[in-house]
Amino acid sequence: MEIRILAALTVGGVLLAAVLITVAAALLYSRFGTGQWEYARPDFGRRAGFRARSLPENDIVRLDRISLLSGAVAQLEYTVEPEWKLILRVGRAGADLREGDFEQSFREQVTLYHRDIRVNISQNEGGAAMLRWSKNGFDYLLALPDSEMGLRGGLMPLFVQQTEMVESKTA
């Protein structure tokens, strides 16, 4: 009799563990989609159907990492001298750029225009900032987790003007 109870408890424990693992996997899949793919260059044609026509370039801005999130959102990670980190996300208009990944509560909201492009800026004085704009059928998000005062203002024209994604014929 004790062996049957022990066997039933063991089977129940294994089934419970299997259910918990399945639920955890489903939650991870729903949060992170189908994954993240690394790229050597910003051509996401095969998976997402777009590529970068132009990206910011200058002596202090360096592109460090290129990836595609959930098969639909490009993520370009930059370093700005001396060692500030920036994350640029781009997707087709209406794509979920996953702003919540940056977990910031911004105190100030400002809207500026750069060459007829509306740029929404969320910022904390002397700290983190997030810039959002749309151009040519794509939505852009530039996250500056920590920055020096004025850095975001100097980078806005560079990124808004020089970042351009286009449809890719390799999709």
Side-chain angles (χ1 to χ4, degrees):
M1 183 70 120
E2 289 180 25
I3 293 175
R4 287 184 185 169
I5 293 172
L6 186 57
L9 288 174
T10 302
V11 169
V14 169
L15 289 174
L16 179 61
V19 168
L20 291 174
I21 290 170
T22 302
V23 168
L27 288 172
L28 286 172
Y29 181 82
S30 70
R31 174 70 174 105
F32 298 108
T34 57
Q36 181 172 338
W37 294 272
E38 300 294 320
Y39 286 78
R41 56 190 173 88
D43 185 346
F44 313 101
R46 288 190 177 270
R47 284 201 169 94
F50 64 90
R51 64 178 176 79
R53 174 181 285 164
S54 65
L55 292 172
E57 287 183 39
N58 72 25
D59 294 340
I60 65 165
V61 175
R62 180 180 71 240
L63 179 59
D64 294 326
R65 186 173 176 204
I66 303 166
S67 54
L68 185 68
L69 308 176
S70 303
V73 175
Q75 178 166 294
L76 304 143
E77 298 175 32
Y78 286 88
T79 299
V80 177
E81 293 299 329
E83 285 300 315
W84 289 294
K85 301 294 182 187
L86 310 177
I87 297 172
L88 174 66
R89 288 190 178 166
V90 185
R92 285 195 176 81
D96 179 10
L97 300 181
R98 296 169 33 178
E99 293 179 28
D101 289 355
F102 303 107
E103 299 294 329
Q104 289 289 332
S105 176
F106 295 106
R107 290 185 214 107
E108 185 180 356
Q109 310 292 320
V110 178
T111 299
L112 300 174
Y113 287 86
H114 178 73
R115 296 188 177 178
D116 296 328
I117 297 172
R118 180 184 171 137
V119 181
N120 296 312
I121 303 172
S122 302
Q123 60 189 358
N124 291 327
E125 188 174 323
M130 188 178 301
L131 289 71
R132 291 179 296 280
W133 69 96
S134 296
K135 182 168 74 169
N136 300 329
F138 290 89
D139 290 339
Y140 299 81
L141 179 145
L142 181 63
L144 298 86
D146 292 304
S147 66
E148 186 175 282
M149 194 98 148
L151 178 62
R152 61 190 161 262
L155 291 174
M156 184 189 78
L158 178 72
F159 276 85
V160 172
Q161 184 177 336
Q162 292 186 14
T163 305
E164 184 178 5
M165 295 292 173
V166 294
E167 296 293 328
S168 177
K169 296 176 182 169
T170 60

